[in-house]
Structures are given as C-alpha cells and as structure tokens.
Amino acid sequence: MAKFSALASILSLLPFVVAQSQEWGQCGGEGWAGPTTCVAGTTCTFMNDFYSQCLPGAATTTTTPPSTPTAPASGSGLNTLAKANAGKLYFGSATDNPELPDTAYVAILQNNAQFGQITPGNSMKWDATEPSNGVFDFSGGDVIASFAKANGQILRGHNLAWYNQLPAWINTIPTTEVGAALTTHVTTVVDAWDVINEPFNDDGTWREYVFFNSLGSNYVSMALTAARAADPAAKLYINDYNIETAGAKATAMLNLVKELQAANIPIDGIGMESHLIVGEVPAASSFISNWEQFTALGIEIAVTELDIRMTLPATTALLAQQQTDYNSVVSACKAVAKCVGVTIWDYTDKYSWVPSTFSGQGEACPWDLNLVEKPAYNGIVAALTT
Ligand code: G3I
C-alpha cells in the first residue's frame, strides 16, 4: 500500500492530472489521484469519503458530506464471526471502483464487522496499472487501498501475472523483452498477493499466453522472486479456479508448489477461487481433504473469489440449496487450520460478474440486488458459528 500510495503521489505531480474529469467521472475521494475539477456544466459532488463525482448542472448541495448511513448490527457480522468463532484472519469481499458512488453499498462494505478484507476486482490488474510500457497509474488501486485502510481492512492485491486484462503492448514487444517487462511490473506494483493468476488449463497443462510462451514455466519463479524482493513482508500466492477439489488441475498445482519449494522459490499460499455452481458443490469433506494436501506442504490457503451461481430464475429450492452450498465451503475453510479466510467475489448480486459472463445465470452472492441478505448469508453464519 505504501508503494501504491507513494507512486500515486508522484503521478499526481504529472501534467496530465490537471485535466478535468468528464461528466459522471470521479473527481475526488480518499486515495484518488486523478482530476479534482469537472468539465463545464458539471459539478464535483461528494458521494462518500471514497468517491466524489462530476454530476450534471450546478451544485445543489453544500460541501458538507451527507451523514453516513447507519452500519448494520455488528455482533453477528461475518468478519467478527470468522475471527472470533472460527479462528480465521478475516471474512472479506471483492469490490470495484465504479461501485463506490453507491452509498448504500458502501455502508455495508465498509462495516468491518462484516468484511475485514477487500480485494479490488479490477483496478490493480495490469491493464489498469501499466497501460503503456513503463507508465504506471495507481489511481484506481489507491482508492481501494485507502478504502481498506480507512476501514481497518486487509488488502489483497489482485493480480500481477494473468493471461487476461493485459494491455496490448505486452503482446507486441520482442519476446526477449518480456522477462524484463514482467520483473519491472511485479517490482513496481506488488503489495500482496495474487502474484500468479490462473496458470493452468483445466487438464493441468500450462496455459499458453505471452509469459509462458516467452519464458516457459520459469515465468512463475521470476515473478515470485521479484515480488519477494519488492516486498519481503507480502504473502505471495498463486491463485486459480477448479483446484478446489481433487483432480488434474489440483494435482498440477500441488506439483508446482513442490517444485517451487525444492528450488527455494518463495511461495506462501494457494488461492482457491471457488466460482461454484448451486447443486454441484460437494460436501465440505471433499474440500478439506484436498486443501489439507496443500497445507501439508507448509503453505496456507485462502478461498479468494467465492460465489455460487444458479440458473435463473431463483426459486426457494435453489436459494435453499445455495445456503447449503455456501455452508459447505465456509465450513471447510473453518475446518482447515491453515485456511486463513474467505473472500466473496463481491457481496451483492447487484455487482456480480456472473450475469454478464454466463447468460441466464446469476444470483451468485449472499446479498441480493437490493442489498438484502439471502438464505446463503445464514449458511455462512451457521458455518462460522457451529
Ligand atoms: O472498464 C471497461 C469500461 O470502460 C467499458 O465501458 C465496459 C464495457 O464492457 O467494460 C469495462 O471493463 C470491464 C471490466 O470488468 C471492468 O468493469 C470488462 O469488460 C470486463 O470483462 C471485466 O470483467 C472482469 C473480469 O474479471 C475480466 O476477466 C470482472 O469485473 C472481474 O470480476 C473478473 O474477475 C476475475 C478475477 O480477476 C480472476 N478470477 C476470475 C474472476 C471472474 O472472471
């Protein structure tokens, strides 16, 4: 976070930031390093501590911030329960910068009793942080980092080397320059933690993209080594999906951890993304036996992107099954001592990535579109308390 903030401060001195934000654009908020004035015809308007926005027309309110919505009761919040009852480090949620103008959404997200950890869904990815070769922009990520810091929440950096959301330039530079570009990116950006994201295909073979194609599997060692050098305190993770239970992909990941350890390459944890499907989630024991194979290697694991989608429309039966399924995953994390925490991939269906990716599916989160807790929420609470 310190590096993120420091670099953002330097960026704030550069000429481009004297530009004005466009209509509906961000113009302020903790951590915001971009323009703080708006184009003609719009007014920079305070939404919450983390977001001011250029709204059409003249200012209609004073500069006094609106009162903060009342926080939900904290005694049974998920983070409180995860820490006090289940011995975990946190219960967390992903979020994304465009969601921060939503004051009702923020009121729940910033409640530390519910969420003790935050993952930025997009704004620390490579296309956001290094859009041109050697040109870094931490403004979006810094807003999320400031949000987490202000609310006493742990931040999970996401991510450094992934095949997706890469800027075009990385695929056009000479192959001989890719290694240096990877090292520079990791060294400049890292706070923590998802250093390598989704390195394997579902059959356990290596995913082919610019880093693997240019550097072979050695890119993993390069990135982890650079990350450790950049921030010795950060926990360094490899994160993937479809490794939550035993199978070819989980075996490939286990073997990779063993190879890294044998070569003295730093690896602290494996992220189990856990983008799951209602009715297809096995009992907790299936997760536990697989996760304990990883923790037996001396590393930790975390559930990093949990959501459990269904084919719409939601029915009472589907929501009840979803409650059971959330319970299974969170119970498994509770049972595995070195499962440090659970992060849901945004807490509300209002901002879930699922409907835009899986046509006809959705309702994957524990809070509904109106920010009301669903039966899944009770499944999580039960897992953390029993
Ligand atoms: O920023 C542009 C915006 O300018 C444009 O108007 C809009 C039009 O589609 O697109 C916006 O970018 C979108 C971006 O999210 C920010 O909202 C991309 O199209 C969209 O593809 C992107 O989706 C993200 C996805 O990763 C990309 O693969 C999701 O929000 C994000 O939740 C998702 O997260 C991934 C994890 O990083 C890794 N594990 C899987 C997980 C789910 O796919």
Side-chain angles (χ1 to χ4, degrees):
M1 266 170 287
K3 183 171 288 180
F4 235 77
S5 301
L7 279 159
S9 301
I10 294 167
L11 286 169
S12 73
L13 300 175
L14 298 178
F16 70 83
V17 296
V18 302
Q20 295 180 309
S21 282
Q22 301 299 307
E23 187 174 6
W24 308 114
Q26 186 168 0
C27 55
E30 286 183 27
W32 174 244
T36 54
T37 58
C38 299
V39 294
T42 67
T43 303
C44 186
T45 306
F46 181 95
M47 309 299 283
N48 54 50
D49 288 346
F50 308 98
Y51 202 91
S52 294
Q53 188 173 32
C54 296
L55 299 183
T60 54
T61 60
T62 67
T63 54
T64 306
S67 58
T68 307
T70 308
S74 63
S76 60
L78 302 182
N79 185 47
T80 302
L81 292 174
K83 289 163 68 171
N85 286 49
K88 301 297 147 188
L89 279 179
Y90 60 80
F91 194 96
S93 176
T95 190
D96 205 359
N97 298 63
E99 300 160 18
L100 298 182
D102 184 339
T103 52
Y105 168 83
V106 165
I108 296 173
L109 186 72
Q110 71 182 6
N111 180 2
N112 189 280
Q114 291 287 27
F115 303 116
Q117 182 273 342
I118 297 290
T119 305
N122 285 298
S123 54
M124 289 188 186
K125 291 173 178 173
W126 198 313
D127 59 352
T129 54
E130 194 182 358
S132 303
N133 194 352
V135 177
F136 290 87
D137 179 355
F138 299 112
S139 56
D142 255 348
V143 170
I144 305 294
S146 294
F147 182 98
K149 189 176 178 188
N151 298 308
Q153 294 161 320
I154 297 167
L155 183 74
R156 181 181 198 90
H158 176 83
N159 49 47
L160 293 171
W162 190 28
Y163 73 93
N164 207 346
Q165 286 173 288
L166 284 170
W169 65 263
I170 194 73
N171 287 302
T172 59
I173 61 175
T175 298
T176 50
E177 295 176 15
V178 170
L182 176 63
T183 303
T184 299
H185 184 80
V186 171
T187 303
T188 307
V189 174
V190 75
D191 247 356
W193 298 348
D194 291 330
V195 180
I196 306 293
N197 207 46
E198 302 174 0
F200 292 120
N201 298 311
D202 279 348
D203 64 1
T205 57
W206 285 94
R207 188 188 290 276
E208 295 187 9
Y209 72 119
V210 60
F211 300 129
F212 181 81
N213 296 343
S214 303
L215 305 163
S217 61
N218 191 43
Y219 86 88
V220 173
S221 305
M222 288 176 64
L224 288 165
T225 302
R228 175 53 46 88
D231 187 349
K235 288 275 174 64
L236 308 182
Y237 269 67
I238 302 174
N239 189 48
D240 215 328
Y241 60 91
N242 289 351
I243 58 168
E244 295 83 11
T245 53
K249 199 171 183 179
T251 300
M253 190 65 84
L254 277 166
N255 289 337
L256 174 59
V257 173
K258 291 174 191 168
E259 288 165 20
L260 292 169
Q261 290 177 328
N264 283 323
I265 303 297
I267 175 70
D268 299 311
I270 296 297
M272 307 285 164
E273 289 191 11
S274 309
H275 295 291
L276 305 175
I277 299 172
V278 167
E280 297 181 20
V281 176
S285 56
S286 294
F287 297 111
I288 293 168
S289 57
N290 184 48
W291 295 352
E292 287 182 338
Q293 290 201 58
F294 286 89
T295 59
L297 299 175
I299 58 170
E300 62 185 43
I301 64 135
V303 177
T304 51
E305 303 185 13
L306 177 61
D307 52 25
I308 309 181
R309 62 186 183 268
M310 63 182 71
T311 298
L312 301 174
T315 62
T316 303
L318 282 168
L319 290 169
Q321 182 63 48
Q322 187 181 49
Q323 176 174 359
T324 300
D325 293 340
Y326 265 97
N327 184 276
S328 297
V329 178
V330 178
S331 296
C333 183
K334 186 184 176 199
V336 175
K338 292 182 79 173
C339 178
V340 296
V342 175
T343 305
I344 42 181
W345 203 242
D346 227 317
Y347 73 85
T348 164
D349 294 329
K350 188 173 183 180
Y351 296 122
S352 172
W353 69 294
V354 168
S356 62
T357 303
F358 299 100
S359 180
Q361 297 182 52
E363 288 257 13
C365 301
W367 275 258
D368 72 12
L369 287 168
N370 298 312
L371 309 180
V372 175
E373 295 157 10
K374 293 156 62 176
Y377 180 89
N378 298 328
I380 299 170
V381 169
L384 295 172
T385 50
T386 53

